[in-house]
Amino acid sequence: MKKLLITTAALAVSASAAMAQDVIRMGTEGAYPPWNFINDSGEIDGFERELGDELCARAELTCEWVSNDWDSIIPNLVSGNYDTIIAGMSITDERDEVIDFTQAYTPPDPSAYLATSEDVDIEGGVIAAQTNTIQAAFIAEQGWSLLEFATPEETIAAVRDGEADAVLADMSFLAAAAAEDADLMLLERTEMIGGGVGMGLRESDAELREKFDAAIQSMKDDGTLNEMITKWEVSTTW
Amino acid sequence: MFTYCTDPDTLEGLAWLACYLTTGKHMLFYVSFGTVLVLLAITAPVALAFGFLGAIAARSRFAPLSVLGRIYIAMVRGVPDIVYFMFFVIALDQGLEWIRHKVKCPDWDQPIRQGNDFIVCSAAKLPLSSSAQFWHELYNFSLAVFTFGIVFGAFAGNVLQGAMRAVPRAQLETAEAYGMTPRQSFWRILVPQMWTYALPGLSNLWMILIKATPLLFLLGVEDIVYWARELGGTANPRFTAYPHGDWRMWYFLALLVFYLAFTKVSEVVLARITKRLSHGQATLGGVKQARAA
């Protein structure tokens, strides 16, 4: 009976709004600290976990977290396995053709290089990047030698092993890795690519996007978003 | 887990390791070994059933059924597994949701495909987006079992078809001479005798199936390979109480040992079954056994 009631309720709501659901499933990668990662107890943690929970609270939504491989994170969103992508995804025109984005929750930040020595020849060397990222697209565009990996962790391991000369990725991710390993350092050169990080949603989910947009705006207005960014050291503040 | 694990920074050596290896994350790793074993335990009979049906169909004297069986065996064997895992799972998932959508929301007026998006009403979602994560995982797991069953069933079908042909014709002729119907001679003479011919091929398939389980990761099931990669990756002190360097090699070594041990156990068990099945058979193994006795 209870189940029947819930189903009818869901039907009634979905009749008025195409995307209405009782639970919003939040998709993330879980391998990109400090943005998102799996903590010691096996749960999704990080800047985006805290941000996502706060956004759901403000938008009065019930949210559940799901981790998904980066490679298939967009296909699984459009086929409906979860409802949002909140995984440090930069807003780009190519992605915008396939999915929709909320307004950015972190400002556009330069991408940085991580290498084992200061005097790496970026343009002539081999640069590692994660597949399907703005950084990989950037290197390919420049015509440099690009070495792609499925996970962010592998890109750094490639530099340690000498397989690649440098990694190009978000500065916050590389800074966290460099802080812990004395052999790795950030280069002074940075690249201004990408248009800030936002939440990805299906193009047909306009109403859900508006809810999250409003929640992000309210966090920007009362300064809580900046506090969170500073706490996790993910980017510059607004 | 242990009481002394509350402050990992103060621990050293074995105590640290004991605490490290019992974090919630590691527990998920251990559970995933169970996932793989359960997958194998369910997939093997499912694949064998698919194979048996395929082989029977291919042998059928009713032409359409025979063609269907042969197409199944030939087609699945000819296409790389990974294509099935990418295509079949998405198609199956969307197909099931489409049927549920048609049944549960008949008065839905919007198109299901909107550009790239696949939209069904929320009551048709499989599993419902309101159901716990466990059901989502179980659903993915079932899709995985089904896909593995289809793919390995085709190979098993080919093996069984060959095995049925290998049973000496004289055996069946004798059955006919005794007045058995085709159905009786199939179930009482052919099926019991074919296993000894099928076993080498089937044990080969079993070994390949064991090695194919990392494909689970492609289907979104967090299997042992996923956790080995995740746990072995550099652990930054900012994000964990148990920082360490790149330990992926050790985790993958553990997987290597697991797979080797598992194939060894399988070999021992399969050798025993072979011995048992060749008892009293007119095969090389059976004749040897009879002479020794």
Side-chain angles (χ1 to χ4, degrees):
Chain A
M1 191 59 205
K2 200 175 161 199
K3 199 165 185 186
L4 191 73
L5 278 176
I6 293 172
T7 327
T8 7
L11 267 174
V13 180
S14 59
S16 60
M19 35 54 66
Q21 279 144 344
D22 15 7
V23 176
I24 302 298
R25 290 165 57 79
M26 312 275 272
T28 192
E29 187 192 10
Y32 203 55
W35 297 82
N36 54 72
F37 58 93
I38 313 281
N39 67 15
D40 285 338
S41 44
E43 282 157 11
I44 292 162
D45 203 342
F47 166 69
E48 278 165 331
R49 172 71 200 253
E50 201 179 322
L51 174 73
D53 284 344
E54 178 64 26
L55 291 177
C56 288
R58 289 190 186 214
E60 290 174 357
L61 300 165
T62 324
C63 293
E64 185 159 18
W65 288 85
V66 190
S67 62
N68 194 90
D69 219 15
W70 176 259
D71 254 356
S72 57
I73 206 162
I74 290 182
N76 275 328
L77 174 76
V78 296
S79 69
N81 288 357
Y82 37 79
D83 307 301
T84 69
I85 295 174
I86 173 161
M89 187 178 270
S90 300
I91 302 169
T92 65
D93 292 341
E94 289 85 11
R95 287 176 184 149
D96 215 0
E97 279 170 21
V98 188
I99 57 173
D100 265 358
F101 283 101
T102 61
Q103 58 166 308
Y105 49 76
T106 65
D109 259 348
S111 297
Y113 292 96
L114 183 81
T116 46
S117 90
E118 292 281 1
D119 39 62
V120 172
D121 174 20
I122 302 268
E123 275 146 58
V126 177
I127 310 297
Q130 190 183 8
T131 319
N132 288 335
T133 57
I134 50 169
Q135 289 86 9
F138 172 80
I139 299 166
E141 233 166 72
Q142 306 297 311
W144 305 339
S145 336
L146 166 67
L147 195 56
E148 286 184 297
F149 291 94
T151 62
E153 165 74 17
E154 285 168 299
T155 60
I156 294 185
V159 170
R160 264 198 215 108
D161 303 343
E163 213 180 324
D165 297 307
V167 194
L168 181 62
D170 286 330
M171 192 186 279
S172 54
F173 168 70
L174 294 179
E180 155 227 11
D181 192 329
D183 295 335
L184 298 174
M185 59 197 75
L186 285 174
L187 302 187
E188 294 211 351
R189 175 172 178 167
T190 54
E191 309 290 351
M192 203 57 209
I193 38 179
V197 171
M199 258 169 99
L201 293 107
R202 279 185 293 274
E203 290 191 319
S204 47
D205 262 359
E207 201 162 316
L208 185 63
R209 196 191 69 215
E210 274 158 30
K211 279 187 194 170
F212 277 117
D213 247 348
I216 293 172
Q217 193 56 51
S218 84
M219 285 187 72
K220 276 181 182 171
D221 292 343
D222 65 13
T224 41
L225 183 56
N226 276 344
E227 274 170 39
M228 231 177 248
I229 290 175
T230 320
K231 177 189 164 195
W232 288 98
E233 298 172 20
V234 287
S235 70
T236 49
T237 51
W238 289 97
Chain B
M1 178 98 181
F2 303 111
T3 45
Y4 56 82
C5 289
T6 42
D7 189 9
D9 294 340
T10 58
L11 297 172
E12 264 178 59
L14 277 180
W16 185 89
L17 200 65
C19 290
Y20 172 69
L21 291 176
T22 51
T23 56
K25 211 173 172 179
H26 273 87
M27 290 302 166
L28 293 172
F29 180 48
Y30 306 140
V31 169
S32 66
F33 279 93
T35 310
V36 168
L37 293 178
V38 170
L39 176 93
L40 285 169
I42 301 177
T43 306
V46 169
L48 204 57
F50 272 115
F52 196 67
L53 290 178
I56 293 179
R59 272 174 59 89
S60 167
R61 261 168 288 175
F62 180 56
L65 195 63
S66 162
V67 168
L68 206 73
R70 270 183 277 158
I71 285 181
Y72 163 61
I73 292 175
M75 203 176 71
V76 179
R77 288 196 326 137
V79 177
D81 298 2
I82 197 158
V83 174
Y84 271 93
F85 280 94
M86 302 313 270
F87 163 78
F88 199 75
V89 172
I90 294 173
L92 192 68
D93 178 43
Q94 295 196 349
L96 287 173
E97 286 191 348
W98 184 79
I99 293 168
R100 277 168 63 92
H101 179 82
K102 289 282 168 204
V103 174
K104 298 209 171 194
C105 313
D107 33 77
W108 183 266
D109 54 355
Q110 282 159 335
I112 291 183
R113 289 219 170 267
Q114 300 180 19
N116 293 299
D117 300 3
F118 180 81
I119 319 272
V120 292
C121 62
S122 48
K125 284 251 180 222
L126 242 186
L128 292 174
S129 54
S130 56
S131 45
Q133 181 59 17
F134 171 77
W135 294 106
H136 287 267
E137 276 164 22
L138 191 69
Y139 176 67
N140 284 344
F141 183 80
S142 317
L143 283 182
V145 167
F146 191 68
T147 315
F148 269 111
I150 292 265
V151 171
F152 281 84
F155 287 95
N158 196 48
V159 170
L160 291 179
Q161 211 188 346
M164 286 176 187
R165 277 202 212 113
V167 173
R169 181 76 199 124
Q171 294 278 341
L172 296 174
E173 275 166 6
T174 314
E176 277 163 29
Y178 273 96
M180 284 193 189
T181 63
R183 175 175 297 223
Q184 280 175 329
S185 65
F186 176 76
W187 286 109
R188 297 190 189 175
I189 308 297
L190 186 67
V191 172
Q193 290 195 48
M194 73 171 185
W195 295 112
T196 182
Y197 301 101
L199 205 63
L202 290 181
S203 60
N204 224 349
L205 271 184
W206 168 251
M207 294 296 183
I208 298 172
L209 179 63
I210 293 177
K211 291 190 294 177
T213 49
L215 283 173
L216 267 182
F217 181 48
L218 280 180
L219 306 181
V221 178
E222 287 166 354
D223 76 323
I224 48 182
V225 179
Y226 168 83
W227 283 113
R229 204 163 72 175
E230 173 65 34
L231 288 162
T234 321
N236 190 313
R238 240 177 88 197
F239 311 116
T240 169
Y242 302 93
H244 61 75
D246 188 351
W247 284 2
R248 281 179 302 169
M249 198 179 86
W250 302 110
Y251 279 91
F252 282 112
L253 190 71
L255 292 196
L256 186 94
V257 171
F258 167 72
Y259 276 115
L260 276 180
F262 196 52
T263 42
K264 181 72 204 163
V265 170
S266 305
E267 265 181 23
V268 170
V269 171
L270 286 168
R272 279 205 190 159
I273 299 177
T274 311
K275 208 169 152 193
R276 238 202 130 128
L277 282 180
S278 44
H279 226 60
Q281 294 275 357
T283 57
L284 197 63
V287 172
K288 261 189 197 158
Q289 273 182 7
R291 275 199 198 129

